[in-house]
Amino acid sequence: MMREIIEIDEDLCVGCGNCVPNCHQGALQIIDGKARLISDLMCEGIGACVGHCPTGAMTIEKREAEPYDEEKVMDKITAGGPRVIRAHLEHLRQHNQKEYLEQAEAYLEKRGIPNPLANQPQELHGHGGGCPGSAARMLRRAPGNEHPGPVAPAGQSAPAQSGELRQWPVQLHLLNPAAPYLQGADLLVAADCTAYAAGNFHRDFLKGKALAIACPKLDQGQQIYLEKLVRMIDESRINTLTVLIMEVPCCSGLLALARTAAGQAERRVPVKAIILSLEGEIQSEEWI
């Protein structure tokens, strides 16, 4: 049958193993120094592993493959114990895989295995879960109160400064792709650490741009990130996409995610990659 499934470019794969723990179906293993898809049956094609690949070796492609089999996956998952079962069920919840989640829970019930998510309310992902702090809003700046501000005299506190942030929220999971501040915007997608490494982050990188922040190593729901970026390109019609990351290998997963989104979108937008050193200096800057 035709379905979406992970494809691995062996020439790009360095065998780092970042993808393996992020495949909760156990479909990936490192064999002979390369990531391998060990079974079509166990790959559900969600692509949570894609954003964790620092070299862009992993993509989602539609091809002829054996149907995904949740029961065969659960045979392996349950052998790992309650923590592994919980991780798998939460993974299915986060990606809104209701059918597979129902199959997994039915598997546990049939065999008398405790369901670690029983009687727990489902968390909402990708839209803030109704938290007032995640409501989309434009930020207004007082005239003359621009970054950087005046230097305070010795012994006195500096006056309050306003940066270049134009909207709220900023975390990619909380951003609504239809928010007005994204319409036709130049979008900066920044790895979390970049604002701390670069002292002039607001002036040098954020000025005049909408902002989305994410961590390609620690954040869950990478497929949600991918879908949102595609929507921002196609529906919000962003003007340009700039990706700001650190030099560390895991950070490049964010760039790989942006490349994939730009490739999947119907519109074409210019994409710029900026890589910072650990000292916050620009190592490279190029349109890709």
Side-chain angles (χ1 to χ4, degrees):
M1 63 178 296
M2 293 295 296
R3 66 185 183 90
E4 291 185 338
I5 200 164
I6 292 297
E7 187 71 20
I8 303 170
D9 187 329
E10 291 193 8
D11 292 335
L12 294 178
C13 178
V14 295
C16 67
N18 286 353
C19 57
V20 174
N22 292 288
C23 175
H24 291 271
Q25 285 67 37
L28 297 173
Q29 290 184 17
I30 301 298
I31 301 174
D32 296 332
K34 300 287 184 179
R36 313 284 185 178
L37 178 63
I38 62 170
S39 173
D40 288 357
L41 289 168
M42 300 173 70
C43 177
E44 89 291 57
I46 290 176
C49 53
V50 172
H52 293 271
C53 177
T55 63
M58 309 188 77
T59 55
I60 302 175
E61 296 188 359
K62 180 170 287 189
R63 64 173 175 82
E64 191 74 24
E66 292 184 80
Y68 175 76
D69 192 324
E70 180 64 34
E71 185 157 322
K72 291 185 181 296
V73 170
M74 288 300 292
D75 286 339
K76 182 172 182 177
I77 290 295
T78 52
R83 292 171 63 88
V84 178
I85 295 173
R86 174 185 288 274
H88 177 64
L89 298 184
E90 289 180 342
H91 173 76
L92 294 176
R93 270 194 176 184
Q94 289 163 2
H95 293 280
N96 201 31
Q97 298 297 307
K98 296 180 181 179
E99 181 179 352
Y100 294 150
L101 180 59
E102 289 174 358
Q103 292 175 14
E105 291 180 328
Y107 178 101
L108 296 177
E109 183 178 0
K110 181 178 179 180
R111 290 160 178 79
I113 302 173
N115 182 346
L117 300 188
N119 303 318
Q120 290 187 7
Q122 180 171 349
E123 296 180 4
L124 300 177
H125 294 268
H127 45 69
C131 171
S134 66
R137 70 194 72 180
M138 299 286 289
L139 302 183
R140 297 181 180 180
R141 301 299 181 192
N145 190 21
E146 298 176 350
H147 182 84
V151 178
Q156 298 183 23
S157 299
Q161 298 180 19
S162 178
E164 299 292 343
L165 185 63
R166 307 191 306 176
Q167 103 269 344
W168 188 264
V170 296
Q171 214 288 330
L172 188 49
H173 269 310
L174 301 178
L175 282 177
N176 181 353
Y181 49 73
L182 290 173
Q183 302 299 314
D186 294 308
L187 177 65
L188 173 65
V189 177
D192 292 352
C193 298
T194 56
Y196 297 95
N200 291 323
F201 174 83
H202 280 249
R203 184 191 67 192
D204 295 344
F205 303 112
L206 181 56
K207 188 172 183 178
K209 294 182 175 66
L211 176 64
I213 64 170
C215 177
K217 183 176 180 64
L218 300 180
D219 293 353
Q220 297 184 355
Q222 300 287 320
Q223 182 65 18
I224 296 174
Y225 282 171
L226 177 62
E227 293 168 357
K228 284 195 172 189
L229 289 175
V230 171
R231 287 186 58 193
M232 290 175 188
I233 295 172
D234 285 340
E235 299 175 19
S236 298
R237 306 186 70 81
I238 59 172
N239 184 44
T240 62
L241 175 59
T242 300
V243 184
L244 181 65
I245 60 176
M246 303 298 298
E247 62 177 327
V248 293
C250 59
C251 213
S252 61
L254 193 58
L255 180 56
L257 200 64
R259 285 179 183 267
T260 302
Q264 290 186 6
E266 296 180 1
R267 293 180 64 242
R268 302 274 77 86
V269 295
V271 179
K272 178 187 283 189
I274 305 176
I275 300 177
L276 299 182
S277 70
L278 299 184
E279 292 78 23
E281 299 174 349
I282 296 178
Q283 279 195 336
S284 64
E285 181 175 0
E286 61 178 338
W287 293 95
I288 57 175

